């Protein structure tokens, strides 16, 4: 399915455990392989990601499960901080 | 390996490798399942002759395969860009 790249910008990104990660700010294109390399996220959920002074986060394209009205990425226990259990 | 942000490409000028300015980049078509970048959507210059190219309304479709390099201009191969 072909989509325009502007359709992806601004979409919300969630993990497959339904945790909000951030919004898509930009798409990183690999010019040699002619593929999407990563999504650059802004407006990050600081509860699960500590970016320590960096402005955003890039999610590699292979981590993405599906793209529709929102974007789902694989939940990686090492990458995202676990929510404190109540 | 060269990576570039899609927002830095918007409104860049497209030039073929024989030195002709084709137009300005409007959008990029991607396949979201495979991650492949498929086409450039270009608004052609009024003086540019679009015969032989794929046209969709007033937009020109140039396969991303034809892209040679991207610096100040997006340079495309003039033969590959007509497929």
């Amino acid at each position: 399915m072909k989509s325009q790249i502007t359709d992806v910008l601004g979409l919300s990104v969630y993990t497959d455990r339904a945790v909000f990660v951030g919004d898509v700010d930009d798409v990183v294109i690999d010019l040699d392989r002619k593929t999407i390399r990563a999504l650059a996220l802004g407006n990050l959920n600081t509860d699960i990601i500590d970016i320590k002074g960096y402005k955003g986060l890039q999610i590699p394209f292979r981590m993405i499960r599906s793209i529709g009205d929102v974007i789902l990425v694989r939940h990686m226990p090492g990458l995202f901080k676990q929510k404190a259990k109540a | 390996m060269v990576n570039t942000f899609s927002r830095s490409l918007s409104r860049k000028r497209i030039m073929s490798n024989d030195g002709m300015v084709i137009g300005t980049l409007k959008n990029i078509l991607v396949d979201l399942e495979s991650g492949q970048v498929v086409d450039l959507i270009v608004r052609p210059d009024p003086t540019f002759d679009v015969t032989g190219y794929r046209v969709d309304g007033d937009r020109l479709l140039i396969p991303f395969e034809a892209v040679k390099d991207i610096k100040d201009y997006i340079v495309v191969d003039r033969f590959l860009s007509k497929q």
Side-chain angles (χ1 to χ4, degrees):
Chain A
M1 188 191 72
K2 286 192 210 170
S3 318
Q4 300 193 4
I5 216 156
T6 48
D7 294 342
V8 180
L9 302 178
L11 290 183
S12 301
V13 179
Y14 292 84
T15 71
D16 53 9
R17 293 196 192 163
V19 180
F20 178 71
V21 184
D23 294 329
V24 179
D25 266 355
D26 212 335
V27 178
V28 183
I29 295 172
D30 186 330
L31 294 180
D32 294 334
R33 294 167 184 237
K34 306 182 195 308
T35 55
I36 300 175
R37 183 171 175 78
L39 300 179
L41 307 188
N43 185 26
L44 295 169
N45 178 2
T46 48
D47 287 346
I48 60 159
I49 304 157
D50 188 10
I51 53 170
K52 295 192 186 85
Y54 291 99
K55 280 184 180 159
L57 176 78
Q58 285 188 14
I59 297 256
F61 194 78
R62 60 191 153 76
M63 265 184 72
I64 292 165
R65 286 198 100 115
S66 49
I67 300 180
D69 293 336
V70 298
I71 297 174
L72 292 182
V73 297
R74 287 200 186 83
H75 192 95
M76 295 213 166
L79 180 59
F80 302 123
K81 281 193 270 177
Q82 299 289 323
K83 279 253 179 81
K85 285 186 182 117
Chain B
M1 195 179 293
V2 190
N3 297 321
T4 183
F5 285 103
S6 66
R7 278 194 205 272
S8 71
L9 299 181
S10 67
R11 291 187 295 281
K12 257 201 180 21
R13 310 271 282 157
I14 318 278
M15 188 185 272
S16 64
N17 60 348
D18 56 351
M20 287 230 287
V21 172
I22 297 176
T24 46
L25 186 66
K26 277 297 178 194
N27 214 333
I28 299 171
L29 270 184
V30 291
D31 183 345
L32 290 178
E33 263 116 74
S34 64
Q36 284 290 329
V37 182
V38 186
D39 286 322
L40 302 173
I41 302 177
V42 180
R43 193 184 61 167
D45 272 2
T47 55
F48 185 74
D49 179 18
V50 296
T51 49
Y53 288 87
R54 274 188 298 147
V55 183
D56 179 20
D58 59 345
R59 297 287 188 261
L60 208 63
L61 293 172
I62 293 179
F64 203 80
E65 279 292 310
V67 173
K68 291 274 191 203
D69 215 339
I70 299 182
K71 294 276 160 51
D72 295 329
Y73 282 84
I74 299 174
V75 179
V76 296
D77 188 286
R78 67 180 164 132
F79 299 111
L80 289 176
S81 61
K82 288 189 179 180
Q83 286 169 7

